[in-house]
Amino acid sequence: AAGMFLRLLSDIQWRAAHPKWRRMTSSQRSTSTTAEPHPVSLPAQAQVVICGGGIMGTSVAYHLSKMGWKDIVLLEQGRLAAGTTRFCAGIVSTARPVSLDLKMAHYSNKLYQQLEQETGVQTGYVKTGSISLAQTQDRLISLKRIASSLNVMGIPCEIISPKKVVQLHPLINIHDLVGAMYVPEDALVSSANVSLALATAASRNGVQIHERTSVSHVTVQKGRVTGVETDRGRIQCEYFVNCAGQWAYELGHSGEEPVHIPLHACEHFYLLTHPLEKPLSSGLPTVFDPDGRIYIRNWQGGILSGGFEKNPKPLFTEGRNQLEIQNLQEDWDHFGPLLSALLRRMPGLETLQIMQLVNCPESFTPDMRCIMGESPTARGYFVLAGMNSAGISYGGGAGKYLAEWMVNGYPSENVWPLDLKRFGTLQSSRTFLRHRVMEVMPLMCDLKVPRWDFQTGRQLRTSPLYDRLDAQGARWMEKHGFERVKYFVPPGKDLLDLDHSKTFYKPDWFDIVGSEVKCCKEAVCVIDMSSFTKFEISSTGDQALESLQYLFSNDLDVPVGHVVHTGMLNEKGGYENDCSIARLSKRSFFMISPTDQQVHCWAWLKKRLPDDSNLIMEDVTWKYTALNLIGPRAVDVLSELSYAPMTAEHFPSLFCKEMSVGYANGIRVMSITHTGEPGFVLYIPIEYALHVYNEVMNMGQKYGIRNAGYYALRSLRIEKFFAFWGQDLDAFTTPMECGREFQVKLEKGMQFLGQEALLEQKQNGVYKRFTMFILEDHDTDMDLWPWWGEPIFRNGRYVGKTTSSAYSYTLERHVCLGFVHHFDEKTGEELVVTPDFINQGEYEIDIAGQRFQAKAKLYPFSSLFTQRRRKDEVELSGYQRE
Amino acid sequence: FYLTPPQVNSILKANEYSFKVPEFDGKNVSSVLGFDSNQLPANAPIEDRRSAATCLQTRGMLLGVFDGHAGCACAQAVSERLFYYIAVSLLPHETLLEIENAVESGRALLPILQWHKHPNDYFSKEASKLYFNSLRTYWQELIDLNSGETTDVREALINAFKRLDNDISLEAQVGDPNSFLNYLVLRVAFSGATACVAHVDGVDLHIANTGDSRAMLGVQEEDGSWSALNLSYDHNAQNEHEVERVKMEHPKSEEKSLVKQDRLLGLLMPFRAFGDVKFKWSIELQKRVIESGPDQLNDNEYTKFIPPNYHTPPYLTAEPEVIHHKLRPQDKFLVLATDGLWETMHRQDVARIVGEYLTGVHHQQPIAVGGYKVTLGQMHGLLTERRARISSVFEDQNAATHLIRHAVGNNEFGTVDHERLSKMLSLPEELARMYRDDITIIVVQFNSHVIGAY
């Protein structure tokens, strides 16, 4: 049945299993071979070997060859575009909640549109548009948020009434709809043919394509890719690209040095029908009905309809089974609920005759985002996989980003949310993946509200205090596998259960976090911050200092015991990491970075630190429990526990000292809190964690101590205009753009990474500026809350997006942080953003289509800082992301 | 007012019990996989009883349902005592001696039965001594009688039934100095109970039946369909042989008065039963016992009432009819149930419903469209129907519960109708008995592999 279906889906007869592929010219469609000739042998070496001939592999090959790389071999174990790419529904949709995903889809759409003209291969591209339906007000809000995003990118899009829906698509039953979003430029393609067109263009550019060749494993020497072993021999190569789709996980694990690519396949079903009596027009818009968990597109006069059920069927957990993929069973009973949703949406289809139920496995990732980038352990090993059922929409854009990454060293966009390095090895257990994807797949259709947490794969990494905190009412979220406290529910109080707590408005924890914030301001709170990434770098001589001085932008040659906030910048001056480094001794440093930097920062430093056995870097994250004591009374608690004076004269801000706390010795105390409030972070060897915690809580009682969570921390840092890496700061943001020139040693005449770029910015000015917005006419109780990604308007014109937001309990206003650009009114060209430009505008923030007036500020409210200890440096940094 | 589905479920599941036989108990592989049982009251309190136990000194498992009438005292006593009588009847001479010696010298007794009881199935503590003494007398007689022959199961079952009924009768005649016990033994004797008991040992299945409860075997045919095989005959007016038997035992002059309105002496539905001394004792004996008995007995109109045309007692016996069946691999399960079930359901439907339940949904063929012309609407209807079937199966973890759900809730189309189910279960106590009888069901599942290996 699968074979028959292949013919149905693909409009052209592809003959290109042709070994003489490379010599084929523009008229390849007429070059048909009758008998299959013997395969030509593989080249002995190539610059790049791409594994996988689906949409991802061909897109990477296409873009690499366009960018001038020619020595490329693409290997496909079966036939080109014969896996998930062949079976997928071929919908290109830009209606994505996250702007990076949206940009990839937008680029793909533009690429596919001209592909037929470029290659001569029919791609079946039809601009049909798409309609996303809302059955509830909350769904409509989420659509309006997407619409705001699309509009500022110049992608046509409108929120329409149910009445208008019927005009666009006569079959839709609108009685249960509250509204819809129409994106007229969304398109349909024949996905297999798009992939073949990309392959055709790539082969014309010199890419060699070999079908029926499977990669058994990749060889790595000294941390670099050296070649691939295939069933047809070995190819030496510098770069390997794993585009093996649902097999990427296994391929990653096949070598001696495993590359962990956390994805897992699930069965995905869609239905094909015979044509209607009056065949449907091929221009009819695609329908997304997320509340019904289905999508519906026109297909050869009939329909194609699939969806994302609540009870997905993961498969291939125990590994590859090549036989199975072609013979996956149709499961009508499983599809039943989706069929009900389809007939509810289009009751007129009752009499339509079924052609087939297709079972097409798709791969899903632990966080619903795709996976791209370079392996942290094997240089030259790139990955592009895990498309979460949106491979066609992302294919073009993702392939382009990865090609840029390989050729230029980094893509033209910040792709950190998709970077393979956001995962650690811990997220690649088969059991974890199986459980997590069963949660992820249904989420495709679930309402995406601010601050939700995954429920599966939890309690993996925990602090030694986990049980103690849990017993005191802690509610948890997870970052990089680590459990962190959101807030503490006071005894006797109860919050809504998970499903009912989903809201775009004021959340139920509002007052709880408010009282934690108040306690931080007036007394003292403890937050367990053990999840932070901690490295120790030391050397026998001056190697550590010398290397770090080059790799970090701030001056680290400070007296022993000082703590320095510094960026870890790339060549363009952008933040690869934002961290605090304490100088423990002349020759050793202690570095604190955000939780999810564990893999990325390690790989970044490993790649750049000199290969010197006298220079040692160690990941000590697991060795220390970190307790953050925030508040004016933290100093009293600590001095009583240590019998040491902790006042500003003895222990100024940004200091680090080993001392005893209670009975425990060797506690590393730093006078930073990551919030701008006074206080200390205690780095405690884990075996003392419970002891120190108990001592602190006991002693703190008389000072009104209480537990607090990250939500309180977040509110505190945002109201003080602290940028966090990963949320506000990324590889495309420089210190000059976020008011942190004072953390850069430009004046000291020392060479450091990113220096040239920063000097140029200093000379010419910056093109975006980190700005704080205070919402003016926003009613916290009644209005939609900002989240992040909201468009910012200056004098009615779009200038950028917010990156984070929080309610400030002190200002009693919402605070949004974000970047302001200056686009030329006529050309759209980016112009320099001066402080005057910021200060002289009238601002509005767009939350789901509703605009709120906002006051812009380039500096924090000084009234929020209770005291300044060291004149020269205000603590203006923090790291964790929400 | 209506009961919600969870309320319905909590009523239906209140008395359910399941037992899985350990795959290998150290001695032998059991031909029984396990059993599900349940009961739904219509009388308040319920007059049905059930028992299940594993014989520890001989091989085999005992299961039984008991339907009481004129109160639950007799059914209760039979449910507590009958299996001991059967087990003792089956014991070899040496074991009997061993047990007697242990009792004699005050040593610990060999355990005879391992009971599998629902928490609601109680044993009367007060009467245990009395019951034990009667049982001991029985085994002492068996020791004295020592025939030297191996015990035949059929005979053992018949002897046990008759002996227990005899003891019930005797205890009531003798009375007890303890007034509570005295009243108890009289209540037991003056009420009645039918019994349907299965003894399973390997492939040997014996059914001993007294009265109108029924044992039925579920057989899976080669084509996968289900059929029912009766393993008991109802002892009531519908059974010609039974009517014949009763008539044979009494003078021709009584022929017309023996069975009236399908009842024995125009009064009793079952033609065989435990207790019911009103149909067994002479009029003089009845009068004497009642007069010397406690006041409560004297105040009871029913006990004082002598059946009309009562000339040549006894009219009733507890002697069971025993059927032996060699289990075959296609015999998948046994249903023992009181007449409350059989009044509402045909045995063929029982076989099908239990069979489909036990083989489970996974045997439901997957649907493939193949070359057929199927519309979306047709497929939707088909799937909805399949889902309904699955969900009704999934709701129950117990085959007996599943059967009761059907017995009470089936509509004219043979599917469970929630509205009907809700109505039937929310009837007030005084009305319930008019619409349905107590239902007690045991479903025993066999291990076809073990049976096939014999």
Side-chain angles (χ1 to χ4, degrees):
Chain A
M4 207 178 85
F5 174 61
L6 297 190
R7 247 169 290 136
L8 294 168
L9 249 196
S10 90
D11 297 317
I12 62 153
Q13 290 287 313
W14 184 252
R15 319 272 181 194
H18 196 284
K20 290 176 190 149
W21 188 300
R22 289 195 64 194
R23 275 170 247 147
M24 281 194 294
T25 47
S26 58
S27 61
Q28 49 84 8
R29 280 204 70 206
S30 59
T31 323
S32 63
T33 51
T34 42
E36 214 160 283
H38 297 293
V40 292
S41 55
L42 294 181
Q45 63 180 54
Q47 186 186 11
V48 183
V49 173
I50 300 169
C51 173
I55 181 73
M56 291 304 147
T58 53
S59 176
V60 172
Y62 171 89
H63 287 100
L64 276 179
S65 65
K66 277 234 154 156
M67 293 175 76
W69 284 22
K70 303 291 180 192
D71 188 10
I72 299 166
V73 175
L74 189 152
L75 305 178
E76 162 58 43
Q77 60 172 347
R79 305 287 293 263
L80 277 181
T84 300
T85 300
R86 169 71 79 192
F87 289 100
C88 79
I91 299 169
V92 187
S93 165
T94 49
R96 310 269 162 201
V98 187
S99 80
L100 177 60
D101 297 350
L102 193 156
K103 279 179 188 162
M104 289 199 294
H106 184 51
Y107 171 84
S108 302
N109 195 343
K110 286 190 296 186
L111 174 71
Y112 302 158
Q113 190 176 6
Q114 54 80 46
L115 206 56
E116 188 167 328
Q117 200 181 5
E118 180 186 340
T119 62
V121 178
Q122 283 178 15
T123 55
Y125 183 95
V126 186
K127 196 173 276 181
T128 59
S130 76
I131 312 170
S132 303
L133 308 177
Q135 292 184 26
T136 65
Q137 287 298 337
D138 272 348
R139 178 69 67 182
L140 194 58
I141 291 168
S142 75
L143 292 180
K144 283 176 176 170
R145 288 186 63 99
I146 297 175
S148 292
S149 255
L150 287 169
N151 280 329
V152 298
M153 279 191 63
I155 301 172
C157 165
E158 57 177 320
I159 296 294
I160 56 176
S161 67
K163 244 185 181 169
K164 182 82 191 292
V165 171
V166 180
Q167 290 165 18
L168 291 166
H169 200 309
L171 288 173
I172 296 181
N173 166 22
I174 57 162
H175 295 126
D176 53 354
L177 299 183
V178 297
M181 177 177 72
Y182 178 48
V183 185
E185 293 191 352
D186 277 358
L188 292 179
V189 294
S190 155
S191 48
N193 292 345
V194 164
S195 189
L196 297 176
L198 291 170
T200 302
S203 79
R204 274 183 218 146
N205 277 333
V207 175
Q208 300 182 55
I209 296 174
H210 295 269
E211 295 182 297
R212 301 190 194 287
T213 309
S214 32
V215 175
S216 67
H217 65 271
V218 178
T219 54
V220 176
Q221 270 169 24
K222 289 184 190 160
R224 271 221 72 110
V225 168
T226 55
V228 297
E229 293 290 347
T230 76
D231 57 350
R232 295 176 54 209
R234 177 182 165 77
I235 308 177
Q236 280 190 349
C237 64
E238 276 176 70
Y239 295 94
F240 175 75
V241 190
N242 183 340
C243 295
Q246 60 196 328
W247 313 121
Y249 173 90
E250 248 190 316
L251 180 57
H253 278 247
S254 63
E256 269 177 43
E257 174 84 24
V259 175
H260 302 288
I261 303 162
L263 53 81
H264 193 293
C266 279
E267 294 182 38
H268 173 63
F269 294 93
Y270 63 79
L271 169 81
L272 295 171
T273 72
H274 289 278
L276 271 70
E277 210 160 294
K278 182 169 166 270
L280 285 184
S281 144
S282 64
L284 209 57
T286 300
V287 177
F288 299 104
D289 181 3
D291 299 305
R293 309 191 151 272
I294 51 166
Y295 58 82
I296 309 156
R297 59 161 279 197
N298 76 75
W299 182 75
Q300 302 198 348
I303 61 145
L304 179 162
S305 172
F308 300 96
E309 61 274 22
K310 277 187 175 158
N311 51 336
K313 293 165 77 179
L315 79 168
F316 304 133
T317 307
E318 48 303 292
R320 176 191 197 120
N321 188 337
Q322 193 48 49
L323 281 175
E324 272 180 54
I325 183 161
Q326 300 300 335
N327 298 319
L328 286 173
Q329 297 293 318
E330 54 190 318
D331 186 343
W332 279 100
D333 292 306
H334 192 70
F335 192 72
L338 299 179
L339 180 58
S340 298
L342 170 64
L343 289 177
R344 175 173 160 195
R345 185 54 53 222
M346 298 188 179
L349 299 183
E350 283 252 348
T351 54
L352 191 56
Q353 202 181 317
I354 295 166
M355 177 175 280
Q356 199 186 351
L357 184 66
V358 181
N359 183 350
C360 152
E362 301 263 6
S363 41
F364 294 86
T365 61
D367 61 356
M368 261 193 301
R369 313 292 301 273
C370 74
I371 299 172
M372 65 162 71
E374 191 175 13
S375 153
T377 47
R379 283 174 68 191
Y381 193 123
F382 283 82
V383 178
L384 184 56
M387 292 296 145
N388 298 289
S389 209
I392 288 303
S393 294
Y394 296 156
K400 170 172 160 255
Y401 287 153
L402 192 81
E404 289 170 349
W405 201 329
M406 294 170 69
V407 174
N408 303 333
Y410 204 74
S412 54
E413 278 287 336
N414 166 39
V415 296
W416 169 247
L418 313 180
D419 194 328
L420 171 64
K421 293 193 280 290
R422 72 188 185 275
F423 299 110
T425 52
L426 50 104
Q427 279 118 326
S428 73
S429 122
R430 285 188 201 267
T431 315
F432 168 81
L433 290 172
R434 185 180 172 86
H435 291 180
R436 177 57 69 81
V437 297
M438 285 173 76
E439 181 182 3
V440 161
M441 180 165 152
L443 276 177
M444 308 297 295
C445 287
D446 283 356
L447 206 54
K448 293 177 187 63
V449 297
R451 298 167 288 270
W452 50 266
D453 304 296
F454 289 105
Q455 300 303 303
T456 53
R458 295 291 296 271
Q459 293 180 324
L460 184 53
R461 301 169 74 200
T462 57
S463 147
L465 302 175
Y466 181 87
D467 284 344
R468 278 301 304 275
L469 301 178
D470 199 55
Q472 295 176 77
R475 292 290 180 273
W476 302 89
M477 61 179 181
E478 167 251 356
K479 183 89 210 169
H480 206 66
F482 212 109
E483 294 293 333
R484 314 196 303 183
V485 182
K486 293 192 281 192
Y487 43 77
F488 286 84
V489 179
K493 233 183 153 171
D494 221 356
L495 291 185
L496 297 170
D497 67 67
L498 202 72
D499 274 344
H500 293 99
S501 65
K502 280 190 170 186
T503 180
F504 291 101
Y505 293 89
K506 182 172 141 180
D508 55 352
W509 43 258
F510 182 81
D511 293 329
I512 293 177
V513 173
S515 60
E516 287 177 10
V517 166
K518 191 161 181 278
C519 185
C520 288
K521 293 261 178 197
E522 295 170 359
V524 53
C525 278
V526 184
I527 304 184
D528 183 341
M529 311 234 292
S530 305
S531 68
F532 278 22
T533 299
K534 310 174 233 350
F535 292 167
E536 269 173 11
I537 300 158
S538 54
S539 60
T540 49
D542 286 339
Q543 301 97 319
L545 178 66
E546 279 168 18
S547 312
L548 297 186
Q549 281 290 53
Y550 177 70
L551 292 173
F552 291 86
S553 55
N554 208 347
D555 188 5
L556 294 172
D557 194 5
V558 289
V560 169
H562 277 237
V563 181
V564 176
H565 289 311
T566 176
M568 181 175 91
L569 309 183
N570 55 31
E571 285 79 358
K572 291 177 187 149
Y575 279 100
E576 289 294 332
N577 186 3
D578 183 32
C579 44
S580 304
I581 298 181
R583 190 164 193 185
L584 297 178
S585 73
K586 278 268 173 222
R587 287 157 189 171
S588 75
F589 297 84
F590 184 56
M591 172 183 173
I592 317 291
S593 329
T595 307
D596 51 359
Q597 276 280 355
Q598 197 168 18
V599 179
H600 173 66
C601 181
W602 180 266
W604 177 271
L605 291 176
K606 265 284 167 205
K607 191 171 171 179
R608 286 163 181 82
L609 282 174
D611 192 10
D612 181 346
S613 60
N614 293 320
L615 176 64
I616 294 160
M617 177 165 74
E618 190 190 356
D619 184 345
V620 294
T621 305
W622 61 276
K623 283 187 180 175
Y624 294 95
T625 295
L627 288 182
N628 194 352
L629 269 64
I630 305 175
R633 310 314 295 269
V635 55
D636 303 309
V637 175
L638 213 53
S639 59
E640 280 209 46
L641 277 175
S642 59
Y643 286 96
M646 300 298 291
T647 52
E649 305 86 71
H650 298 93
F651 209 127
S653 178
L654 288 168
F655 253 69
C656 170
K657 208 191 275 182
E658 278 204 359
M659 44 196 286
S660 62
V661 178
Y663 300 154
N665 241 328
I667 311 297
R668 216 167 263 174
V669 178
M670 291 193 203
S671 44
I672 54 174
T673 62
H674 310 289
T675 58
E677 300 294 331
F680 304 89
V681 181
L682 278 50
Y683 289 91
I684 310 158
I686 51 169
E687 66 265 38
Y688 301 143
L690 196 59
H691 172 75
V692 172
Y693 176 78
N694 288 339
E695 291 289 304
V696 166
M697 292 310 276
N698 287 338
M699 187 59 74
Q701 233 162 26
K702 64 178 166 187
Y703 300 105
I705 200 165
R706 57 177 292 171
N707 291 299
Y710 272 79
Y711 282 10
L713 189 98
R714 187 165 141 273
S715 169
L716 288 169
R717 70 98 178 165
I718 288 176
E719 71 179 13
K720 283 181 214 68
F721 200 8
F722 279 22
F724 276 36
W725 190 89
Q727 188 72 29
D728 310 303
L729 305 181
D730 59 40
F732 286 77
T733 313
T734 70
M736 319 302 265
E737 293 160 348
C738 57
R740 289 193 180 172
E741 197 182 329
F742 68 95
Q743 285 183 7
V744 178
K745 54 192 170 205
L746 277 182
E747 314 300 333
K748 304 219 169 152
M750 268 178 286
Q751 274 273 311
F752 65 93
L753 203 54
Q755 183 182 26
E756 278 170 40
L758 296 188
L759 279 171
E760 194 195 311
Q761 275 195 335
K762 195 175 164 68
Q763 199 82 43
N764 302 333
V766 295
Y767 290 85
K768 63 177 177 186
R769 226 171 246 278
F770 195 48
T771 311
M772 171 157 96
F773 297 93
I774 319 297
L775 295 191
E776 298 281 291
D777 55 349
H778 183 271
D779 183 331
T780 306
D781 290 317
M782 304 301 292
D783 284 326
L784 288 170
W785 274 35
W787 181 2
W788 56 274
E790 288 88 13
I792 304 164
F793 291 89
R794 178 185 177 277
N795 299 341
R797 293 174 52 83
Y798 169 72
V799 289
K801 281 188 173 177
T802 63
T803 50
S804 56
S805 74
Y807 180 79
S808 162
Y809 293 88
T810 326
L811 302 170
E812 294 180 326
R813 282 264 170 276
H814 260 287
V815 177
C816 299
L817 308 182
F819 285 92
V820 172
H821 300 250
H822 184 185
F823 302 108
D824 185 276
E825 292 205 16
K826 295 200 182 72
T827 62
E829 185 195 352
E830 284 203 55
L831 304 176
V832 167
V833 180
T834 60
D836 281 350
F837 178 81
I838 301 281
N839 292 332
Q840 289 162 5
E842 297 285 326
Y843 290 90
E844 286 170 315
I845 306 286
D846 175 330
I847 307 173
Q850 197 184 348
R851 293 193 189 178
F852 296 92
Q853 288 169 25
K855 203 163 82 193
K857 286 178 65 70
L858 281 171
Y859 301 97
F861 292 94
S862 54
S863 60
L864 289 176
F865 295 88
T866 43
Q867 58 205 103
R868 291 186 188 191
R869 290 186 181 166
R870 215 158 76 189
K871 266 189 182 168
D872 54 326
E873 189 143 34
V874 178
E875 185 194 355
L876 269 177
S877 173
Y879 330 85
Q880 75 275 42
R881 315 165 42 191
E882 22 267 277
Chain B
F1 97 110
Y2 283 117
L3 299 170
T4 62
Q7 285 173 319
V8 164
N9 283 344
S10 79
I11 293 173
L12 287 180
K13 295 178 180 193
N15 294 314
E16 69 179 17
Y17 178 78
S18 285
F19 177 75
K20 287 228 170 334
V21 175
E23 228 169 276
F24 187 73
D25 61 3
K27 281 184 290 188
N28 51 284
V29 185
S30 171
S31 58
V32 174
L33 283 171
F35 70 87
D36 291 338
S37 77
N38 197 355
Q39 49 187 193
L40 180 70
N43 293 300
I46 186 168
E47 294 179 349
D48 277 7
R49 292 293 184 272
R50 58 182 156 168
S51 292
T54 305
C55 300
L56 294 173
Q57 301 308 322
T58 53
R59 302 192 315 166
M61 196 167 180
L62 286 164
L63 305 114
V65 295
F66 312 97
D67 184 351
H69 48 263
C72 60
C74 186
Q76 174 64 32
V78 174
S79 75
E80 291 180 36
R81 304 174 72 181
L82 182 58
F83 287 8
Y84 280 113
Y85 280 73
I86 296 170
V88 164
S89 308
L90 286 166
L91 287 178
H93 186 69
E94 305 76 53
T95 317
L96 286 172
L97 274 178
E98 204 175 314
I99 290 174
E100 175 56 24
N101 290 336
V103 177
E104 189 67 32
S105 55
R107 277 185 285 121
L109 219 62
L110 285 175
I112 298 173
L113 292 173
Q114 183 198 349
W115 292 95
H116 311 301
K117 284 198 301 183
H118 186 277
N120 291 355
D121 302 341
Y122 61 93
F123 275 10
S124 146
K125 274 207 188 80
E126 297 79 3
S128 64
K129 184 82 182 139
L130 174 72
Y131 291 168
F132 178 78
N133 287 336
S134 297
L135 183 67
R136 188 179 172 193
T137 313
Y138 176 42
W139 80 53
Q140 286 171 338
E141 282 174 29
L142 286 176
I143 292 171
D144 293 344
L145 273 173
N146 181 18
S147 55
E149 289 166 25
T150 47
T151 328
D152 175 64
V153 179
R154 168 191 297 273
E155 232 167 278
L157 287 165
I158 294 173
N159 290 341
F161 272 61
K162 285 163 75 176
R163 177 67 186 209
L164 174 58
D165 193 47
N166 208 40
D167 283 355
I168 288 172
S169 169
L170 216 57
E171 285 155 9
Q173 293 176 41
V174 173
D176 197 285
N178 175 319
S179 67
F180 176 84
L181 279 183
N182 195 35
Y183 183 44
L184 177 72
V185 294
L186 286 166
R187 272 189 300 143
V188 170
F190 275 92
S191 61
T194 70
C196 186
V197 173
H199 178 266
V200 199
D201 175 13
V203 290
D204 289 306
L205 171 64
H206 285 86
I207 304 290
N209 183 45
T210 286
D212 53 4
S213 290
R214 201 182 280 176
M216 184 213 86
L217 202 58
V219 182
Q220 189 165 33
E221 305 294 340
E222 273 177 23
D223 63 358
S225 68
W226 295 94
S227 64
L229 179 64
N230 270 359
L231 290 181
S232 68
Y233 301 109
D234 299 349
H235 300 139
N236 59 16
Q238 277 72 48
N239 182 342
E240 283 174 32
H241 297 283
E242 247 340 74
V243 175
E244 205 57 32
R245 176 185 65 81
V246 173
K247 286 183 177 168
M248 289 281 289
E249 290 171 359
H250 297 276
K252 202 140 176 76
S253 57
E254 291 181 43
E255 191 164 319
K256 290 218 169 103
S257 58
L258 271 176
V259 180
K260 275 186 173 170
Q261 294 157 343
D262 283 352
R263 287 165 187 252
L264 190 65
L265 297 180
L267 292 172
L268 197 61
M269 290 249 271
F271 279 29
R272 302 189 193 193
F274 283 93
D276 283 328
V277 290
K278 287 159 54 63
F279 296 85
K280 291 172 181 166
W281 289 353
S282 67
I283 296 178
E284 298 71 41
L285 181 58
Q286 292 191 37
K287 284 189 171 156
R288 181 169 59 77
V289 170
I290 291 170
E291 275 162 20
S292 63
D295 295 343
Q296 299 106 308
L297 205 63
N298 269 309
D299 296 343
N300 189 327
E301 285 303 317
Y302 172 75
T303 43
K304 277 203 292 198
F305 169 78
I306 303 291
N309 305 310
Y310 197 79
H311 307 297
T312 51
Y315 288 88
L316 194 63
T317 173
E319 178 171 338
E321 206 174 350
V322 178
I323 291 180
H324 174 235
H325 176 81
K326 280 246 181 251
L327 287 170
R328 306 157 297 170
Q330 65 265 40
D331 301 333
K332 302 295 182 188
F333 59 89
L334 173 74
V335 178
L336 301 175
T338 53
D339 60 340
L341 175 71
W342 308 111
E343 276 164 15
T344 56
M345 285 187 94
H346 192 269
R347 57 198 174 97
Q348 190 54 45
D349 293 331
V350 171
R352 181 182 53 79
I353 289 167
V354 176
E356 284 176 2
Y357 171 83
L358 290 179
T359 48
V361 204
H362 38 274
H363 279 238
Q364 199 166 26
Q365 288 291 316
I367 305 178
V369 176
Y372 300 108
K373 288 188 176 176
V374 185
T375 68
L376 293 177
Q378 287 166 340
M379 177 61 81
H380 187 235
L382 185 62
L383 293 175
T384 312
E385 194 191 300
R386 280 161 73 92
R387 213 156 45 237
R389 216 181 313 159
I390 290 166
S391 69
S392 82
V393 169
F394 271 150
E395 244 170 330
D396 299 320
Q397 278 84 51
N398 182 302
T401 309
H402 189 61
L403 206 46
I404 291 177
R405 187 187 297 278
H406 276 272
V408 179
N410 262 9
N411 58 16
E412 53 270 43
F413 307 110
T415 56
V416 175
D417 176 351
H418 176 75
E419 203 174 302
R420 190 185 150 87
L421 194 56
S422 161
K423 255 187 210 159
M424 290 293 279
L425 292 178
S426 56
L427 290 171
E429 269 178 19
E430 59 276 17
L431 275 181
R433 185 61 189 87
M434 297 172 67
Y435 287 90
R436 54 186 170 86
D437 196 357
D438 293 335
I439 299 177
T440 298
I441 300 172
I442 299 178
V443 179
V444 186
Q445 210 182 340
F446 297 117
N447 187 336
S448 303
H449 299 290
V450 172
I451 289 167
Y454 266 88

